[in-house]
Amino acid sequence: MLQQEFEERTGLKLSVEGYAEVEECYMNTDLDKDAFCKLWIENPTALKEIERKTVSVRELYEERKCLSNFLIDQAEKWSASDLREKAISMIGECEYLRRKIAKGYNLWEADKELLLDILKK
């Protein structure tokens, strides 16, 4: 959202520095412009909480992505079916297979069976 859009929606006039805080908060949430501006005016505490939680969820999502990739790598390295199962439980069967294929790993027999089951659906 541009500073002019924010000012039109809220009726506030901000300095460039003041708008920088608004922009950072806006980019840290998944709210549309109108909802964001309404909360900025009516309930800034709730908006800050939404921002904090959105950032936290994004960080957790990234951490989960890294962990599932690590599990896939370790399962491949050690032929560990328990790590494979944990990766599948975290990201789902299709995403597990997609990532494994993207990494250039060979499919295990269990992976091939899983893929055949998915293709039958």
Side-chain angles (χ1 to χ4, degrees):
M1 167 171 35
L2 300 174
Q3 182 172 351
Q4 180 181 347
E5 292 176 292
F6 177 78
E7 290 176 350
E8 288 170 359
R9 283 176 165 83
T10 61
L12 300 173
K13 298 291 182 205
L14 301 175
S15 65
V16 172
E17 298 81 22
Y19 179 70
E21 178 188 352
V22 170
E23 185 174 37
E24 181 181 0
C25 182
Y26 176 68
M27 297 305 291
N28 284 334
T29 69
D30 293 325
L31 297 170
D32 67 38
K33 294 174 185 180
D34 291 324
F36 177 86
C37 291
K38 182 178 180 183
L39 279 171
W40 187 271
I41 296 293
E42 294 177 4
N43 198 341
T45 304
L47 182 59
K48 285 297 184 182
E49 184 64 14
I50 290 169
E51 177 188 18
R52 187 184 68 74
K53 288 186 177 188
T54 303
V55 168
S56 180
V57 166
R58 287 177 183 164
E59 289 169 352
L60 288 169
Y61 175 80
E62 194 58 36
E63 188 175 316
R64 184 179 183 100
K65 180 180 168 186
C66 291
L67 180 57
S68 58
N69 285 336
F70 176 77
L71 289 170
I72 293 168
D73 293 341
Q74 293 303 303
E76 187 70 17
K77 180 178 180 178
W78 301 105
S79 298
S81 59
D82 57 334
L83 297 178
R84 174 189 178 274
E85 291 301 320
K86 184 61 180 172
I88 290 171
S89 73
M90 287 180 70
I91 58 175
E93 297 168 338
C94 292
E95 183 62 15
Y96 162 77
L97 289 170
R98 188 195 67 73
R99 290 185 193 185
K100 188 164 181 175
I101 291 167
K103 289 175 177 272
Y105 292 151
N106 292 324
L107 296 180
W108 300 355
E109 268 315 301
D111 296 335
K112 292 175 186 176
E113 292 171 14
L114 182 59
L115 185 55
L116 285 173
D117 287 343
I118 291 170
L119 292 173
K120 286 179 187 176
K121 296 178 185 176

